[in-house]
Amino acid sequence: MKTILVVLDGLNNQVAQHAMGYLYAECAQGHGHYYTLTCELPSLSRPLYECILTGIPPVKSGIIHNGVSRLSRERSIFHYARAAGLTTAAAAYHWVSELYNQTPFVPARDRHTDAPDLPIQYGHFYSDDSYPDSHLFEDAESLRLRHNPDFMFIHPMNIDDAGHKHGLSSPQYRNRARMADGYLSHWMPTWLAEGYQVIVTADHGMNDDRSHGGILPEETQVPLFVFGRAFSLQAEIAPQQTELCGTVCELLGVAHDKPICRGLLAEPNA
């Protein structure tokens, strides 16, 4: 099944509970379910992009801080999808391009990617943390309409950017979460109507020191929303961040060797 994975960078779980009114409305209608997920450590961005997309925790992947600028040594969702002949796309921060396509990121070459032989075949990548989330979702929808990808990765940064500037307990941070929920309300009904399975989560949270990286609950507790008929919508399960890669591969129907959260998935004939 075609799948869209949205990672709202830096979205703390408690703020997600308060701010994501549209996502909760879809859940209330029986279209999805919300879970709390604990991120791997350290609770930093590049290490957790790698964790989400490969299922490998940072201390095992070697991507243990944001300054590790090299290609991943692991197989990602993009790799498994391409090996199965599926089409991949991403609208994301440039570190994602550096992890799975080419490094270092060269904007003139990599910002707009149209490279059928790369793991991420089609992409719009940005390097400014204040790049508007509204534009990023438009970038993603442009890729979806143009290339009809089987797997799409969408990764906006404005929530994290507001957290670093103003802190967890600020109106600026909370309102950026509300804005992301609003952008999803604009695009996600179409995705669901067209049969996409949609996962919305975060890499890590945020603290009142305007940072993250440690073990405080506000830094490590993040939301996980799932939408679509492929999901069981069971309440009594505890998904792990390391299981997202394998679970997405299961949705895509591609061969993989990653752990999965079986409870997230509906029975085939259910």
Side-chain angles (χ1 to χ4, degrees), residues 44-59:
L44 294 170
S45 292
R46 195 191 301 242
L48 296 180
Y49 307 161
E50 171 80 339
C51 179
I52 290 168
L53 289 164
T54 70
I56 305 298
V59 292

Side-chain angles (χ1 to χ4, degrees), residues 3-4 11 21 48 60 70 76 81 100 108 112 116 118 129 157 163 184 193 199 211-212 253:
T3 300
I4 295 173
L11 178 58
L48 296 180
K60 292 186 177 179
R70 62 163 171 81
S76 70
Y100 306 112
H112 304 292
L118 289 177
D129 292 15
M157 184 66 78
L184 285 164
I199 298 172
S211 66
H212 50 85

Side-chain angles (χ1 to χ4, degrees), residues 17-199:
Q17 291 175 338
H18 297 164
M20 313 307 278
Y22 164 69
L23 295 185
Y24 271 95
E26 290 283 7
C27 292
Q29 291 299 310
H31 302 153
H33 199 81
Y34 156 80
Y35 304 92
T36 297
L37 184 150
T38 300
C39 78
E40 294 294 316
L41 297 174
S43 51
L44 294 170
S45 292
R46 195 191 301 242
L48 296 180
Y49 307 161
E50 171 80 339
C51 179
I52 290 168
L53 289 164
T54 70
I56 305 298
V59 292
K60 292 186 177 179
S61 73
I63 307 293
I64 51 175
H65 58 80
N66 286 337
V68 180
S69 180
R70 62 163 171 81
L71 285 174
S72 170
R73 295 171 185 152
E74 310 296 334
R75 288 177 63 76
S76 70
I77 300 170
F78 301 112
H79 292 90
Y80 291 114
R82 291 296 304 120
L86 302 186
T87 302
T88 61
Y93 198 60
H94 70 290
W95 289 351
V96 175
S97 177
E98 288 187 330
L99 280 167
Y100 306 112
N101 273 3
Q102 300 183 89
T103 190
F105 180 77
V106 178
R109 178 192 67 192
D110 303 323
R111 174 155 159 64
H112 304 292
T113 294
D114 187 336
D117 293 332
L118 289 177
I120 307 173
Q121 296 172 292
Y122 307 106
H124 293 308
F125 298 102
Y126 63 98
S127 55
D128 185 336
D129 292 15
S130 63
Y131 184 71
D133 285 0
S134 58
H135 291 26
L136 190 278
F137 279 102
E138 291 165 357
D139 291 343
E141 186 65 2
S142 174
L143 290 169
R144 190 186 73 85
L145 294 174
R146 191 170 302 176
H147 301 291
N148 194 27
D150 298 285
F151 174 60
M152 164 79 80
F153 181 66
I154 303 176
H155 171 233
M157 184 66 78
N158 288 172
I159 298 170
D160 184 74
D161 187 46
H164 285 300
K165 290 174 178 174
H166 305 285
L168 168 65
S169 300
S170 67
Q172 292 92 339
Y173 178 77
R174 293 190 298 271
N175 283 332
R176 279 297 178 185
R178 295 181 178 106
M179 290 174 72
D181 183 72
Y183 300 138
L184 285 164
S185 77
H186 187 78
W187 300 112
M188 208 172 87
T190 298
W191 303 342
L192 296 176
E194 295 189 13
Y196 284 86
Q197 311 309 299
V198 181
I199 298 172

Side-chain angles (χ1 to χ4, degrees), residues 213-237:
I215 64 172
L216 293 173
E218 54 264 41
E219 300 171 68
T220 60
Q221 299 296 303
V222 299
L224 175 67
F225 294 90
V226 298
F227 304 94
R229 62 185 177 88
F231 294 103
S232 69
L233 310 185
Q234 295 179 33
E236 288 78 27
I237 57 174

